[in-house]
Amino acid sequence: MTIDRLAAHFTRFGVSASWTPADYTVGGTGTVILDAPALDVLGGVAQSIEYSVLYRASEFVGMAYGDELVIDGVAYTVRTPAPVEDGQLMRAPLSKV
């Protein structure tokens, strides 16, 4: 995905997020795309919700396990971020605090 297409994608679907590293060093704010899909589990008896964010690797450099993201006033703990395809984007699963 080109830089221009990435920017348009984040402008259209992104929300503001505030990042605080687990060691309380300087974090920052940026734009993420929050994903909260509902998945049927136990043969459709229940639903599981897996929160994750998609973000530009250049915006949250060094985001790691245990860091905190606040999105729309809701706090989440970052699990293990991983690069997506060419590494311009990262995806991090979240746990709601």
Side-chain angles (χ1 to χ4, degrees):
M1 192 175 284
T2 66
I3 300 295
D4 291 339
R5 291 189 66 193
L6 276 177
H9 195 69
F10 277 88
T11 298
R12 184 169 182 191
F13 301 108
V15 293
S16 181
S18 177
W19 167 46
T20 304
D23 62 3
Y24 298 101
T25 57
V26 177
T29 59
T31 304
V32 300
I33 296 173
L34 179 64
D35 190 19
L39 302 173
D40 287 336
V41 295
L42 302 173
V45 175
Q47 285 191 332
S48 171
I49 297 178
E50 174 77 13
Y51 293 97
S52 68
V53 288
L54 186 67
Y55 62 95
R56 290 177 222 151
S58 61
E59 243 180 20
F60 294 107
V61 176
M63 186 184 291
Y65 179 87
D67 291 354
E68 181 182 80
L69 272 181
V70 177
I71 304 167
D72 290 332
V74 179
Y76 300 89
T77 300
V78 175
R79 295 196 332 239
T80 307
V84 176
E85 295 181 11
D86 64 0
Q88 290 184 56
L89 297 176
M90 300 286 287
R91 179 173 300 281
L94 306 172
S95 296
K96 201 170 186 180
V97 177

